Amino acid sequence: MAAVIPDLKTQWLKDGFAVEILDLDLPTASEEELLAFDELCRRYAVVVVRGQNLSPKQVVDVSSRLGRVSPQNYTGPHPDFPGISILSNKMVDGKLIGVRDAGRNWHTDGTTYQTLGLRTMLYGVECPPEGSDTLLADAAAAFDALPEERQAELEKLSIVHNRAHLIQKYSRSVLSPEEMAEMQDVIHPIVVKSDVDGRKSFFITNGSTKRVEGMEEEESWALVNELMEHCTQPQFVYAHKWRAGDCLIWNDVGTLHRATPYDEEKYIRLVYRTWMRPFAAAAVTSDVEAALQHH
Ligand SMILES: [Fe+2]
């Protein structure tokens, strides 16, 4: 017999886009409550659970419910839990313990995977009282806001994404030129459909964009940048103001995201990040490949 999934108490942080789950303590939650948590994470682009007290192992356990946790070997891996990437300005023995600044410009992760539906979870361990917000833009509301004719035109277009392009753009050099040359193009429509409710949203980023199919490079980037500006207008954006103990989870289908700066001289930020690929996705062939899907 199917389990009865209880309703968890929720409130909108941004209507139809970001939802907060109230009165849930992830480490002590019942299996039924956790199933309800999974369902909310599947259904909504952005989910927040505040007031948690999670060990690194518990961060991995919660993440593992939502997808296959990717290794983070090149992006500030936690020494004991390689599925966790440490985002921090903290220094120990004169060395940064993780990645100092990640994703300060608007972008979407996971665009060079064939299978869509990558999820990200950030867990705040130490959070500055000001700055270091995580901004998330509602790419479905942004699509809905366009006139039907424009929507129809855009739905016909696809973007050629390429990992080597992304690496070059961010001057990463962990791969040889031969390895980079082998990186295959991955093509995704500019407008993708949610596999949960069929809602359409933009799936765009400029880092991995080689070109829009059938367009020259310059025209392609102009279009992608125009659409990114459209998506990231204030009316479409949820700004997450961090408190220690916050869990922020989002799906890369339906969102764009970025981090805002903070006073790194004055404050310490320590955030654990995990990336979860859909369970159905093909296994990643190497750790290097996994690390380079993102920026
Ligand atoms: Fe990102």
Side-chain angles (χ1 to χ4, degrees):
M1 208 166 72
V4 177
I5 299 178
D7 282 337
L8 292 173
K9 213 166 140 197
T10 58
Q11 71 179 16
W12 287 119
L13 297 170
K14 185 160 180 60
D15 279 358
F17 180 58
V19 72
E20 179 177 359
I21 304 176
L22 304 162
D23 305 332
L24 178 66
D25 179 51
L26 287 162
T28 59
S30 67
E31 187 55 27
E32 286 74 22
E33 284 175 323
L34 289 172
L35 287 171
F37 163 78
D38 299 347
E39 176 59 23
L40 289 167
C41 291
R42 210 169 74 85
R43 200 184 309 159
Y44 297 111
V46 181
V47 170
V48 172
V49 194
R50 303 196 108 139
Q52 304 300 297
N53 186 6
L54 304 182
S55 66
K57 181 179 182 305
Q58 287 167 331
V59 168
V60 175
D61 289 347
V62 171
S63 304
S64 302
R65 302 188 62 85
L66 305 174
R68 194 187 303 151
V69 176
S70 294
Q72 303 273 354
N73 298 16
Y74 291 89
T75 45
H78 188 290
D80 302 320
F81 296 91
I84 293 179
S85 170
I86 297 177
L87 309 179
S88 188
N89 59 334
K90 212 173 214 178
M91 313 270 283
V92 172
D93 300 331
K95 272 192 187 162
L96 283 168
I97 62 164
V99 175
R100 189 179 196 125
D101 57 349
R104 290 279 168 88
N105 297 310
W106 284 107
H107 66 280
T108 303
D109 292 324
T111 49
T112 58
Y113 282 131
Q114 283 290 359
T115 310
L116 303 183
L118 181 85
R119 283 192 172 79
T120 302
M121 181 167 107
L122 300 183
Y123 173 66
V125 183
E126 290 180 64
C127 303
E130 55 186 351
S132 84
D133 298 350
T134 300
L135 308 185
L136 287 137
D138 185 344
F143 178 77
D144 291 345
L146 290 181
E148 265 178 44
E149 262 177 41
R150 181 75 174 135
Q151 289 178 339
E153 280 167 21
L154 292 168
E155 279 189 81
K156 290 181 202 140
L157 301 176
S158 291
I159 295 181
V160 182
H161 296 277
N162 189 287
R163 241 167 266 157
H165 195 277
L166 179 62
I167 295 163
Q168 274 157 356
K169 183 156 176 159
Y170 292 94
S171 313
R172 293 185 182 170
S173 53
V174 290
L175 296 185
S176 67
E178 292 75 31
E179 285 172 310
M180 303 243 298
E182 278 173 18
M183 291 183 170
Q184 301 289 311
D185 290 345
V186 176
I187 299 172
H188 291 300
I190 281 187
V191 180
V192 296
K193 249 190 198 180
S194 156
D195 57 4
V196 177
D197 58 10
R199 199 168 172 206
K200 292 172 183 172
S201 65
F202 287 113
F203 189 64
I204 49 174
T205 196
N206 46 25
S208 63
T209 296
K210 218 163 135 183
R211 61 176 187 282
V212 175
E213 273 194 313
M215 285 187 190
E216 294 301 320
E217 289 188 353
E218 218 160 290
E219 190 187 4
S220 301
W221 291 330
L223 174 63
V224 170
N225 287 332
E226 176 202 319
L227 293 176
M228 287 182 68
E229 268 177 41
H230 168 70
C231 288
T232 57
Q233 294 175 91
Q235 68 268 34
F236 302 130
V237 173
Y238 165 65
H240 187 74
K241 306 261 176 212
W242 282 95
R243 280 183 280 182
D246 286 356
C247 241
L248 172 67
I249 298 151
W250 71 85
N251 194 323
D252 273 304
V253 170
T255 60
L256 286 97
H257 63 277
R258 62 165 286 212
T260 66
Y262 62 98
D263 188 338
E264 296 189 21
E265 302 302 312
K266 204 165 156 190
Y267 302 124
I268 291 290
R269 178 181 191 238
L270 175 58
V271 167
Y272 291 155
R273 176 182 60 197
T274 47
W275 274 316
M276 294 79 80
R277 299 197 64 208
F279 292 116
V284 173
T285 52
S286 73
D287 292 347
V288 174
E289 189 189 0
L292 294 172
Q293 304 290 338
H294 315 280
H295 53 103

